[in-house]
Amino acid sequence: MNIIELLKVLVLGIVEGFTEWLPISSTGHMILVDEIIHLNVSAEFMSMFRVVIQLGAILAVVVLYFKKLNPFDPGKTDGQKRATIRLWIKIVVACIPAAVLGLLLDDWMDAHLYNGYVVSATLIVYGILFIMLENRNQYTEFPVQRVTQISFQTAFYIGMFQVLSLVPGTSRSGATILGAMILGCSRAAAAEFSFFLGIPVMFGASLLKLVKFGFDFSGVEIFYLILGMVVAFVVSVYSIRFLMGYIKKNDFKFFGYYRIVLGVIVVAYFTVTALLA
């Protein structure tokens, strides 16, 4: 273990925490950053590390929204507790499509889709879609203003959009926010529901990666994981607060333009790297 490797883990944790909740693809950023700084670990560990440090990001949602997500909060009325339980059922319903396909396609996607060209294509395509959707929504009054107003049917349809995020570079939050807005959810409701969906999805994905890796860690690898998760947690708290404050006065078009620019940078980087190899 040396200071350079620790700084690399620190950078990866910051990138994960900042990009996980913004609709700009944390996986796309992690792949690009890993190509540039290249943490000195095995490919198997890095594949698992990119997913498992998301646990730190997820804990940020749990902490920030603990009262809202806790159906046993003594300060809630019976009606509010029932509404919270219904919200959790909707979250589970929305997670089913991605959970099923994720289990079936995980190995295939790791082998065929985790590359810069796929990431750049999805970054650009979904960036364009965000801009087009927000231009259409310029004067739209969304019928669903709060997550509690999302129906079970709408939750399931949002879950179908979440399936798109299995392709690297799509962005889980990007796919679900885009889908929720198409289905009539406000920007705030779409973003919050996307946060909540991340809890079971990312816990499940992390557990799957840990099982496949075999829990056979060296002391240094355990330290890297813990440090990455802690940094991701701290940065995620800021990232979530930033996004919810930003969309109160702005739309998502900025993130669309950002995705397009990043997609061009990614494809240029990997093309130049391939030519120089």
Side-chain angles (χ1 to χ4, degrees):
M1 188 188 304
N2 59 60
I3 189 66
I4 298 299
E5 294 303 302
L6 290 179
L7 288 174
K8 291 178 181 178
V9 174
L10 185 66
V11 170
L12 289 167
I14 291 172
V15 171
E16 164 60 28
F18 191 70
T19 61
E20 182 61 50
W21 307 111
L22 305 181
I24 54 177
S25 176
S26 62
T27 301
H29 284 77
M30 292 288 281
I31 290 175
L32 182 60
V33 171
D34 183 47
E35 283 288 329
I36 296 171
I37 66 175
H38 196 66
L39 187 63
N40 189 25
V41 294
S42 68
E44 293 77 14
F45 176 81
M46 195 62 217
S47 176
M48 180 272 301
F49 176 86
R50 280 196 298 260
V51 176
V52 174
I53 64 167
Q54 294 175 346
L55 289 175
I58 276 297
L59 287 176
V61 176
V62 174
V63 169
L64 289 174
Y65 290 94
F66 184 77
K67 181 178 177 64
K68 192 166 191 172
L69 292 171
N70 180 14
F72 308 109
D73 190 315
K76 289 183 176 179
T77 65
D78 289 341
Q80 289 172 327
K81 290 177 180 178
R82 287 192 295 270
T84 306
I85 292 172
R86 284 196 299 272
L87 174 60
W88 272 109
I89 296 173
K90 293 171 189 175
I91 291 169
V92 172
V93 167
C95 288
I96 292 173
V100 172
L101 289 176
L103 286 170
L104 293 174
L105 300 176
D106 185 63
D107 290 335
W108 185 87
M109 289 186 297
D110 278 351
H112 299 283
L113 298 183
Y114 275 77
N115 63 75
Y117 297 108
V118 172
V119 168
S120 63
T122 51
L123 281 168
I124 293 170
V125 168
Y126 284 92
I128 294 171
L129 288 175
F130 261 112
I131 295 168
M132 291 174 61
L133 179 64
E134 286 293 24
N135 284 336
R136 191 198 74 175
N137 288 340
Q138 190 171 3
Y139 303 107
T140 299
E141 185 67 31
F142 296 100
V144 179
Q145 292 292 322
R146 300 186 302 276
V147 289
T148 51
Q149 294 176 312
I150 295 174
S151 68
F152 286 96
Q153 184 181 47
T154 299
F156 180 77
Y157 289 154
I158 293 172
M160 295 299 292
F161 277 95
Q162 185 170 238
V163 171
L164 299 172
S165 67
L166 295 175
V167 180
T170 299
S171 169
R172 190 199 59 78
S173 62
T176 51
I177 289 173
L178 196 69
M181 289 174 63
I182 289 173
L183 294 166
C185 298
S186 68
R187 295 178 185 90
E192 278 196 1
F193 198 66
S194 174
F195 297 160
F196 301 160
L197 286 186
I199 297 174
V201 167
M202 290 159 66
F203 267 121
S206 297
L207 180 60
L208 179 62
K209 288 292 185 182
L210 286 169
V211 169
K212 287 187 175 182
F213 189 77
F215 295 93
D216 185 21
F217 302 107
S218 66
V220 171
E221 289 173 338
I222 291 174
F223 183 78
Y224 285 169
L225 271 179
I226 293 174
L227 177 60
M229 285 190 287
V230 169
V231 174
F233 168 80
V234 174
V235 178
S236 287
V237 170
Y238 167 79
S239 180
I240 291 169
R241 287 174 172 168
F242 163 76
L243 181 61
M244 296 309 293
Y246 178 85
I247 59 178
K248 287 179 179 178
K249 299 180 180 179
N250 304 277
D251 58 26
F252 284 104
K253 279 197 285 190
F254 169 80
F255 299 108
Y257 291 119
Y258 176 88
R259 290 179 66 102
I260 294 170
V261 172
L262 181 64
V264 172
I265 292 172
V266 169
V267 75
Y269 172 82
F270 281 97
T271 300
V272 171
T273 301
L275 291 174
L276 295 177

